[in-house]
Amino acid sequence: MGSPHWKRLCLLLLAGLTSSLLLYTHYYTTVESPTSQRIIASLLQPEPLVLAPSGTPHRRWALGGSSESGNSFKPSAELEEPEPSRQQPRTCLHSVMARAKADPKFGEIFRFDTPVLMWDQHFTLATWNRLRTRHVPYGWQGLSLAVVGSTLRLLNASANRHLFDRAALPGGCVRCAVVGNGGILNGSRQGQAIDAHDLVFRINGAVIKGFEEDVGTKVSFYGFTVNTMKNSLIAYEEYGFTRIPQAKDLKYIFIPSDVRDYVMLRSAIQGSPVPEGSDKGDEPQKYFGPEASAEKFKLLHPDFLQYLTARFLRSEILNTQYSSLYMPSTGALMLLTALHTCDQVSAYGFITANYEQFSDHYYEVEKKPLVFYANHDMMLEAALWRSLHRAGIITLYQR
């Protein structure tokens, strides 16, 4: 039998172990509980999270695929509240929505209640927990809560909820032109027709000076990722693209393809240099102007990007080892954004069946073949534009 001293030592050790278990249980029930998770999330923000109102309708939609891996598309996902800006007026009898719903094929593909833009009230704990399992641009896998939350918190104006204000536009149908940079526009003389639209979307290396007769001058929206914007400024500088479009009423549409898009967007709204990452020290004012406020910026919702990819542009690349690299092109995302917000949409400078007759870009002096990037499926996109044109859902400029 052990000595009394040894017994006392055993009792002390047992008491210590019991205390540790009690402390751990207290920690788990307080810090790790759902209630405390909300408290922790709120502490990361100066303002508390605003949860979606009770009774807000939710919808589940099939995306195809069955893998539960964080790097794959979920079979279904909860959507946020419907976005009011996409409600098209009944007075526009031949709207995108009306024609899509009447089409046997596209009537099953379009879901006009999918949120197009993300803003601060979409950033809930439930949304964070759901999207952090999907890689960018379809989610927030690998991104920090602090970066995403601090960016979305700044998108708190009514202008961040809607792509445009219908009340500020003429009644009837809102007509939008989406202008790609394809060589088909060189010599097209479509500038006046493009500018006649209510809203004009442009992307990446949107050279205007010297090509006004072919591509017009009007710019309502400029869509990009930070990567495509910066690459365009380098690659097309020799053609006169020395800065992205700037104007008082112009709005910028961020495509969140990487953490740098969230970081750049946050710095742009705050009017301060980029504090971290690959763009550290960069000054957003030189891109967006010295007086860019939060109202000038829009952020596409990761759910919207997943919906577009899964339903409209589900490439075979997604079935390969390079699936994580694939995403639709900037032009495709802008055209599909317009299709979900505008009443009537015209597409200029996009790939047509006879694309080989034209240069890669309209501003190139010498003809260059179209470049096919490994992370896009341009032929799939071209087939989609032809199908939408045949269905009367878009008007595709062809020559």
Side-chain angles (χ1 to χ4, degrees):
M1 295 184 65
S3 67
H5 176 73
W6 176 250
K7 289 182 178 179
R8 284 196 297 271
L9 182 59
C10 290
L11 289 172
L12 287 172
L13 289 172
L14 181 61
L17 179 60
T18 302
S19 299
S20 298
L21 288 172
L22 289 172
L23 286 171
Y24 175 80
T25 302
H26 175 71
Y27 170 84
Y28 182 83
T29 56
T30 56
V31 176
E32 294 296 325
S33 69
T35 301
S36 294
Q37 285 180 2
R38 288 193 292 271
I39 294 172
I40 291 171
S42 68
L43 289 175
L44 293 175
Q45 311 180 79
E47 300 173 1
L49 288 174
V50 181
L51 302 177
S54 59
T56 298
H58 289 270
R59 184 186 184 94
R60 299 190 74 86
W61 36 279
L63 293 176
S66 58
S67 173
E68 291 300 317
S69 165
N71 287 323
S72 63
F73 291 114
K74 297 286 186 179
S76 63
E78 290 291 350
L79 296 182
E80 320 299 340
E81 63 209 66
E83 183 61 52
S85 68
R86 295 191 307 282
Q87 297 304 313
Q88 299 171 330
R90 293 182 180 181
T91 55
C92 189
L93 300 179
H94 303 292
S95 67
V96 168
M97 183 181 290
R99 289 183 179 273
K101 288 184 175 180
D103 187 86
K105 173 185 174 182
F106 287 109
E108 295 296 317
I109 297 176
F110 275 89
R111 289 294 179 266
F112 290 97
D113 57 355
T114 307
V116 173
L117 302 179
M118 172 158 271
W119 54 293
D120 68 329
Q121 290 192 27
H122 279 167
F123 188 60
T124 64
L125 186 62
T127 302
W128 166 257
N129 286 333
R130 178 170 59 82
L131 293 184
R132 68 177 179 175
T133 66
R134 303 199 311 238
H135 66 78
V136 289
Y138 313 109
W140 296 326
Q141 190 178 79
L143 306 186
S144 76
L145 175 64
V147 167
V148 175
S150 61
T151 301
L152 296 182
R153 189 175 65 250
L154 298 174
L155 298 174
N156 53 21
S158 60
N160 303 130
R161 306 182 187 186
H162 318 300
L163 200 63
F164 54 84
D165 180 8
R166 284 188 173 274
L169 297 171
C173 300
V174 176
R175 299 176 62 245
C176 296
V178 185
V179 185
N181 301 321
I184 191 173
L185 288 177
N186 189 298
S188 66
R189 300 179 181 273
Q190 292 298 305
Q192 187 174 350
I194 289 171
D195 287 347
H197 289 76
D198 298 306
L199 301 169
V200 178
F201 296 68
R202 298 185 192 269
I203 59 170
N204 296 339
V207 178
I208 293 177
K209 188 175 181 180
F211 297 92
E212 295 88 347
E213 191 175 55
D214 291 336
V215 303
T217 61
K218 190 173 185 177
V219 188
S220 308
F221 301 101
Y222 177 74
F224 63 99
T225 70
V226 172
N227 183 58
T228 62
M229 176 187 73
K230 290 196 168 187
N231 285 345
S232 296
L233 288 169
I234 296 171
Y236 310 125
E237 181 182 13
E238 62 178 299
Y239 304 112
F241 190 68
T242 56
R243 75 172 193 177
I244 69 172
Q246 293 182 11
K248 178 182 177 182
D249 297 326
L250 189 154
K251 304 297 189 296
Y252 298 104
I253 303 176
F254 271 78
I255 301 170
S257 68
D258 195 358
V259 64
R260 65 193 301 202
D261 296 293
Y262 291 94
V263 175
M264 178 67 79
L265 175 56
R266 182 182 64 192
S267 294
I269 296 174
Q270 293 174 334
S272 59
V274 176
E276 59 186 299
S278 57
D279 302 302
K280 184 176 180 179
D282 205 356
E283 297 182 352
Q285 293 92 334
K286 70 183 181 184
Y287 305 116
F288 312 112
E291 299 179 358
S293 62
E295 288 75 11
K296 288 187 75 70
F297 299 101
K298 318 288 183 178
L299 178 68
L300 293 188
H301 200 303
D303 277 343
F304 183 60
L305 298 176
Q306 172 161 320
Y307 152 76
L308 296 182
T309 303
R311 284 182 170 268
F312 293 91
L313 293 168
R314 190 174 183 87
S315 172
E316 291 298 321
I317 298 174
L318 291 168
N319 299 324
T320 72
Q321 59 181 319
Y322 305 108
S323 61
S324 62
L325 301 177
Y326 172 75
M327 67 179 290
S329 69
T330 305
L333 293 175
M334 286 300 100
L335 183 47
L336 288 166
T337 295
L339 281 167
H340 285 77
T341 51
C342 305
D343 300 322
Q344 295 178 353
V345 177
S346 301
Y348 297 86
F350 283 79
I351 300 177
T352 55
N354 60 340
Y355 71 91
E356 292 180 337
Q357 297 180 18
F358 311 104
S359 189
D360 192 0
H361 302 99
Y362 61 81
Y363 38 78
E364 289 160 345
V365 177
E366 297 181 3
K367 182 180 177 181
K368 296 183 178 181
L370 179 65
V371 177
F372 292 90
Y373 294 97
N375 60 330
H376 302 316
D377 193 334
M378 305 304 288
M379 288 297 95
L380 179 62
E381 293 181 8
L384 175 61
W385 312 144
R386 291 194 296 270
S387 295
L388 288 166
H389 178 78
R390 286 195 297 267
I393 297 172
I394 68 170
T395 300
L396 177 66
Y397 174 70
Q398 303 177 77
R399 291 170 69 179

